[in-house]
Amino acid sequence: MKLQNANSNEEMGRLAADIFTDAIRAKPDIVLGLATGSTPLTLYGELIRRYGEGIADFSEVKTVNLDEYVGLAGSHNQSYRYFMDENLFNYINIDMGDTFLPDGLAEDLKAECERYNEVIDSLGGVDLQLLGIGLNGHLGFNEPSDAFSSRTQVVELTESTINANSRFFSNPSDVPRLAITMGIQDIMQAKKIILVASAGKKDIVGKAMNGEITPQVPASILQKHPDVTIILSEE
Ligand code: PGA
């Protein structure tokens, strides 16, 4: 695992954007695995800026997101579909039909997980996966547990994650209790992984990089991946 330190969240976004724009240039129809949360925002802002300057072209890019809340429509302002549209997709030249997220309103959640696995497989897997990390070491919504998960699945969110995410909801009881997330196996199959983290995540990043590899710290599995870069902001 490689660690890059950034002095600010803006620098973290620029360093990550350098990797993304180089990868898109090398493979214009690249499959990007994308993440939501506060930490990727400076990266997405930088990608929008670079698109505006003609440095990045998303016309052939495909994206698959890590996760989505169960029970929220894509039009709900806390859904991850809404987040992606508002923070990236609406401002770049990506074909919306090439942007994939799990459907949080699917009636049959198990079938929806299978459909999502088929989407990932039909794209040929993820070339470049962006990750954040939870304070509890989660990746996507793969929470600490007794075993590393395999493929896309429905998960119950932990209290730690519900508390962390309640800041985005007017009422903490509105935070969904269930989500659909890509599995750890899906994440590990990405060819290259970039994990972005702000200073508040320093301790859990240290555990993930140097601690025991255990499903109690889901991100620790990344020690087994051949191409992971962690960009840690001091801010
Ligand atoms: P954050 O979320 O970027 O909002 O801190 C990251 C995560 O929980 O995976």
Side-chain angles (χ1 to χ4, degrees):
M1 285 165 113
K2 270 190 294 187
L3 179 65
Q4 279 188 290
N5 287 296
N7 290 322
S8 65
N9 292 342
E10 272 63 39
E11 191 187 359
M12 174 178 67
R14 281 195 298 275
L15 291 170
D18 288 346
I19 297 169
F20 272 74
T21 37
D22 285 352
I24 295 166
R25 210 169 294 132
K27 186 177 181 192
D29 62 348
I30 192 168
V31 179
L32 300 178
L34 296 181
T36 52
S38 315
T39 323
L41 284 174
T42 53
L43 163 63
Y44 292 155
E46 186 65 19
L47 290 177
I48 292 168
R49 196 182 67 73
R50 292 182 191 200
Y51 162 66
E53 290 181 355
I55 302 168
D57 173 17
F58 296 86
S59 58
E60 294 176 53
V61 170
K62 325 267 183 284
T63 67
V64 279
N65 261 76
L66 283 170
D67 45 18
E68 179 61 282
Y69 287 120
V70 167
L72 299 191
S75 55
H76 187 288
N77 67 5
Q78 291 308 325
S79 76
Y80 288 169
R81 159 56 72 184
Y82 187 92
F83 176 99
M84 290 309 302
D85 288 354
E86 286 296 308
N87 290 296
L88 183 64
F89 298 151
N90 285 342
Y91 304 102
I92 57 175
N93 65 334
I94 198 161
D95 182 338
M96 281 292 185
D98 287 335
T99 67
F100 300 94
L101 285 94
D103 177 3
L105 286 188
E107 272 180 29
D108 182 340
L109 294 175
K110 195 160 176 286
E112 176 57 13
C113 293
E114 276 157 30
R115 183 195 70 84
Y116 205 62
N117 286 335
E118 280 161 23
V119 167
I120 298 166
D121 294 345
S122 70
L123 293 171
V126 172
D127 293 304
L128 175 58
Q129 176 69 55
L130 175 68
L131 298 174
I133 182 170
L135 283 170
N136 61 7
H138 73 198
L139 295 180
F141 276 132
N142 292 283
E143 302 283 24
S145 73
D146 293 337
F148 289 111
S149 62
S150 53
R151 303 218 58 192
T152 308
Q153 61 190 281
V154 179
V155 288
E156 269 181 51
L157 305 187
T158 58
E159 282 307 314
S160 155
T161 299
I162 291 168
N163 287 339
N165 291 6
S166 64
R167 69 190 193 273
F168 300 116
F169 290 80
S170 38
N171 189 334
S173 65
D174 292 342
V175 184
R177 269 33 192 180
L178 295 178
I180 297 175
T181 184
M182 266 191 208
I184 292 290
Q185 184 187 321
D186 295 307
I187 292 169
M188 288 296 283
Q189 274 172 357
K191 294 187 187 81
K192 184 179 179 71
I193 294 177
I194 307 296
L195 186 147
V196 287
S198 49
K201 304 279 178 60
K202 211 171 189 168
D203 288 351
I204 191 68
V205 166
K207 267 195 198 167
M209 288 185 74
N210 304 313
E212 184 197 349
I213 299 176
T214 164
Q216 295 300 335
V217 182
S220 63
I221 192 80
L222 297 175
Q223 292 177 36
K224 293 193 171 189
H225 192 283
D227 191 353
V228 178
T229 300
I230 296 182
I231 307 176
L232 183 62
S233 164
E234 295 296 333
E235 188 172 327

